[in-house]
Amino acid sequence: YVDMKYVLVTGGVVSGLGKGVTASSIGVLLKACGLRVTSIKIDPYLNTDAGTMSPFEHGEVFVLDDGGEVDLDLGNYERFLDIKLTRDNNITTGKIYQAVINKERKGDYLGKTVQVVPHITDEIQDWIERVAMNPVDGTDKPADVCVIELGGTIGDIESMPFIEALGQFSYRVGPGNFCLVHVSLVPVLTVVGEQKTKPTQHSVRGLRGLGLMPDILACRSTQPLEENVKLKLSQFCQVPVSNIVNLHDVTNIWHIPLLLRVCHIKFLLLTESKFKCA
């Protein structure tokens, strides 16, 4: 489906930055433009789903309409976007390896040596393309945009097959159909009192070293970013200032779409006239 657009949301520096809410808020903006939006959450753990995981370990489980026990972020997607997702919208390492091993046992690989590249990475890409086509808004029409959230933090060893697969996937679908939003932390040292860009610089460098180039930086901070900090991030991360958005702490997660709207984020995938937002 050549018209499908993909937005990938990754996280850097530390976990728990709010990638799920950021991905959901991006979906809200795209939906406000009149686009159909679907979502996929990638969890790099080996469990096939979140059903057997302690809530103390991973938070509460969200149960989908089809009975799928998934990460709580899918609950955010459903609430923000008013859609109904399936268990296949949650990809885990366990699901991918299970699917590949089942194919190997059936002889689908015709005696080939089964490896992470290309078999695991191809399975990830095929899974994304297949699930992105499933209607989720109550109609029989596929979405225009698929928002993909990669769980964990850039540099995690368990994320590497997904990073490789998504790098290949960006090439497969073409640059006009793929946009990468990197969520990173801009901390303030209480003694010094200034916003530090070095953690984000290192995070973006690591991302680029793995073959992915961020189009948009979503910077988490306690207070709004200072203008000189944005300029420094732009210079060292090679991201235009207009594509650096500040998601500072707010009292309510429903303010996040408004922060994105106020910053006039211009998603690179919306360059075609039919995708432009008023």
Side-chain angles (χ1 to χ4, degrees):
Y1 185 59
V2 292
D3 285 337
M4 179 67 73
K5 310 287 181 179
Y6 298 90
V7 179
L8 172 62
V9 179
T10 61
V13 185
V14 294
S15 58
L17 288 177
K19 295 188 300 297
V21 174
T22 303
S24 303
S25 300
I26 290 169
V28 167
L29 285 188
L30 297 173
K31 192 173 180 183
C33 296
L35 302 173
R36 290 188 178 85
V37 182
T38 186
S39 288
I40 293 174
K41 171 70 190 294
I42 297 174
D43 285 306
Y45 48 68
L46 278 168
N47 307 61
T48 53
D49 60 39
T52 59
M53 297 168 72
S54 164
F56 295 106
E57 178 87 15
H58 194 67
E60 291 292 341
V61 163
F62 186 77
V63 182
L64 298 168
D65 277 18
D66 66 355
E69 296 170 306
V70 295
D71 191 87
L72 204 55
D73 282 325
L74 278 84
N76 277 330
Y77 303 157
E78 288 202 342
R79 282 188 291 271
F80 272 67
L81 302 173
D82 191 25
I83 55 179
K84 288 190 188 303
L85 301 173
T86 69
R87 66 180 74 225
D88 286 345
N89 289 83
N90 187 204
I91 302 175
T92 69
T93 299
K95 285 181 179 178
I96 295 295
Y97 274 80
Q98 195 170 61
V100 169
I101 289 169
N102 288 342
K103 287 182 180 178
E104 186 271 333
R105 290 291 87 188
K106 288 193 296 181
D108 289 357
Y109 298 119
L110 302 175
K112 294 279 188 185
T113 302
V114 180
Q115 301 177 102
V116 174
V117 181
H119 301 100
I120 295 294
T121 52
D122 282 353
E123 183 68 29
I124 293 166
Q125 294 175 72
D126 294 344
W127 192 302
I128 290 170
E129 275 197 319
R130 183 179 74 251
V131 172
M133 288 295 295
N134 294 340
V136 292
D137 58 357
T139 70
D140 59 353
K141 296 180 180 177
D144 300 306
V145 183
C146 178
V147 181
I148 305 165
E149 179 194 346
L150 176 61
T153 308
I154 293 300
D156 293 347
I157 193 166
E158 58 264 34
S159 300
M160 290 304 177
F162 293 102
I163 294 285
E164 176 64 30
L166 289 163
Q168 294 178 16
F169 189 68
S170 67
Y171 179 73
R172 181 198 283 200
V173 300
N177 298 314
F178 189 87
C179 177
L180 173 53
V181 181
H182 187 57
V183 184
S184 187
L185 179 68
V186 179
V188 174
L189 296 180
T190 51
V191 179
V192 181
E194 69 174 305
Q195 295 172 332
K196 293 294 185 182
T197 64
K198 192 62 74 177
T200 297
Q201 290 180 43
H202 282 300
S203 181
V204 170
R205 191 173 300 146
L207 192 63
R208 292 160 68 94
L210 294 168
L212 286 171
M213 309 280 282
D215 299 301
I216 293 166
L217 275 184
C219 298
R220 284 301 315 277
S221 60
T222 52
Q223 299 295 327
L225 277 190
E226 296 162 14
E227 201 58 37
N228 67 308
V229 173
K230 280 190 178 182
L231 290 169
K232 193 171 182 181
L233 284 168
S234 175
Q235 181 182 2
F236 286 99
C237 300
Q238 287 88 55
V239 175
V241 174
S242 59
N243 286 5
I244 297 177
V245 59
N246 180 211
L247 303 180
H248 55 79
D249 292 352
V250 290
T251 55
N252 190 309
I253 60 172
W254 295 99
H255 293 169
I256 300 298
L258 298 176
L259 284 181
L260 285 166
R261 182 68 185 93
V262 166
C263 290
H264 300 295
I265 283 298
K266 299 172 183 177
F267 291 104
L268 303 183
L269 74 160
L270 301 180
T271 51
E272 293 177 4
S273 58
K274 71 172 183 172
F275 287 106
K276 279 187 179 173
C277 182

